[in-house]
Amino acid sequence: MSSGITPPLIAGNLALDFINTQFGVGADRYECLNDDSSVVEWLHQAGVLNDTRAAPPAGLVELARELREDMQTLIDSAREGRGAAPAIVNQVLERGHPIERLEWVPAYAAFQKQTYRRDLTSESLLQPVAQALVELLTKEDLHLVKECQAPDCVLLFHDQTKSHRRRWCSMASCGNRMKAAAHRARKSAT
């Protein structure tokens, strides 16, 4: 992103990857949403924003951070079996809802539904992230939303493995680190 820090896209879910834009290991914590441009960069990286624009809407980073905090609160409350007010998520969903149109597509000689971004406001840009949270909270088993078991990692992921026994955000980072530490501990114990 703007600061040279690239957040991992390892969660298996757009909403969780968005929450993971604030991450770190141990005392090293990173904020990937530093300014309006960094939010646009993340949306491009996540594959939900294809068009380019000269400048992002002012205030995008503030709304993105509020949305991220609201999303984390909603996931935590749902996992604990209690409710929470989804004010920011609903604001983004309402104001950023895309426009759908039926259009004739000559290349296919058929009508197709086309979806367009409503406008270039912050809510329109963040709407796919809020929609991913809605899908996660209403259609997925929240017991499969897990936090990395590395004691110094805060990343969330959606465990989509067949056995649902995934333990780490990424085998390439925390998994290898934890397995190496366990091996060293076993070796020093003998």
Side-chain angles (χ1 to χ4, degrees):
M1 313 288 9
S2 299
S3 63
I5 306 287
T6 302
L9 293 172
I10 50 84
N13 179 281
L14 178 65
L16 297 176
D17 279 328
F18 189 72
I19 291 170
N20 288 343
T21 57
Q22 192 173 47
F23 71 100
V25 175
D28 295 328
R29 298 287 181 205
Y30 301 101
E31 172 60 71
C32 298
L33 306 179
N34 297 310
D35 54 29
D36 297 335
S37 295
S38 65
V39 177
V40 170
E41 287 178 44
W42 186 88
L43 292 168
H44 276 287
Q45 180 186 5
V48 296
L49 184 61
N50 299 324
D51 53 344
T52 57
R53 59 189 44 78
L60 177 60
V61 71
E62 288 84 9
L63 180 60
R65 286 179 176 179
E66 287 179 48
L67 177 62
R68 181 179 63 196
E69 186 176 322
D70 197 35
M71 292 168 64
Q72 181 70 61
T73 299
L74 294 173
I75 288 174
D76 290 345
S77 68
R79 290 171 72 194
E80 295 168 5
R82 59 180 173 78
I88 303 299
V89 170
N90 283 338
Q91 171 190 330
V92 171
L93 289 170
E94 181 182 323
R95 295 182 188 166
H97 192 347
I99 297 170
E100 295 178 343
R101 292 189 175 131
L102 182 65
E103 295 181 0
W104 179 258
V105 180
Y108 297 111
F111 283 102
Q112 289 186 345
K113 179 178 83 169
Q114 301 294 332
T115 304
Y116 298 97
R117 192 169 309 285
R118 179 168 295 281
D119 50 31
L120 298 178
T121 63
S122 297
E123 289 87 359
S124 263
L125 296 178
L126 294 171
Q127 189 275 341
V129 175
Q131 187 59 47
L133 179 74
V134 169
E135 297 293 317
L136 180 69
L137 291 175
T138 61
K139 296 184 179 176
E140 299 293 339
D141 181 356
L142 291 180
H143 291 97
L144 300 179
V145 173
K146 300 177 181 178
E147 188 172 316
C148 182
Q149 288 185 9
D152 54 358
C153 182
V154 298
L155 295 181
L156 297 174
F157 61 89
H158 185 206
D159 184 356
Q160 298 172 325
T161 62
K162 187 175 181 180
S163 65
H164 304 302
R165 295 176 60 148
R166 182 175 164 189
R167 297 175 57 195
W168 298 291
C169 62
S170 167
M171 191 60 199
S173 60
C174 288
N176 284 341
R177 212 167 35 85
M178 297 309 297
K179 285 187 171 198
H183 175 72
R184 284 190 303 275
R186 282 191 308 272
K187 193 172 180 180
S188 68
T190 58

